[in-house]
Amino acid sequence: MKDKELTWDEFEKTLKLTPEEEQEIRFEEELIEMEIKAREKARLSQRDLSEKTGIKQSAIARIEKRRCSPSASTLIRLLVPMGYTLRIVPINEKKNEK
């Protein structure tokens, strides 16, 4: 008998993530999404960004496909040539922006 395939919600429940781990995952997703939007707004391909940053195009693709987690220094190297940076803000301030 075949194992039943789980939906994402069912699978996610089996992970038993702490609230902190869930927040970390959401934060990383948000950072990557913002990097992609910045690249697209700058009308740069992954290859163009690779040439500007010295980060291999394949590494950029892995980050954007969420196959690997970028370090803060890698994110900064990707963002700065496009005119962006990372910023630390109080959580309450972020909630009030929405």
Side-chain angles (χ1 to χ4, degrees):
M1 177 160 86
K2 278 189 171 181
D3 289 333
K4 176 187 167 207
E5 289 192 31
L6 299 176
T7 66
W8 172 251
D9 289 335
E10 291 169 334
F11 176 73
E12 190 174 28
K13 288 176 186 173
T14 68
L15 296 176
K16 299 179 182 174
L17 298 172
T18 66
E20 292 81 13
E21 290 168 327
E22 288 178 6
Q23 185 175 358
E24 184 179 340
I25 291 167
R26 282 192 302 276
F27 178 67
E28 184 174 306
E29 282 286 321
E30 196 175 301
L31 283 173
I32 292 170
E33 190 60 36
M34 291 171 73
E35 180 274 326
I36 293 169
K37 286 180 182 179
R39 181 178 60 74
E40 290 172 346
K41 185 175 180 179
R43 297 184 176 180
L44 296 172
S45 66
Q46 290 177 350
R47 185 175 308 274
D48 295 335
L49 187 55
S50 172
E51 290 171 3
K52 286 183 170 288
T53 62
I55 297 171
K56 292 183 180 182
Q57 183 273 327
S58 59
I60 295 170
R62 282 192 303 276
I63 290 167
E64 291 187 0
K65 290 179 182 178
R66 283 91 168 157
R67 290 190 177 154
C68 69
S69 297
S71 66
S73 63
T74 297
L75 277 171
I76 291 168
R77 283 180 58 200
L78 291 170
L79 293 171
V80 168
M82 296 185 290
Y84 294 87
T85 191
L86 296 178
R87 185 176 119 183
I88 297 174
V89 296
I91 292 173
N92 292 334
E93 180 181 322
K94 183 179 176 196
K95 287 180 182 177
N96 291 334
E97 289 176 0
K98 290 185 177 181

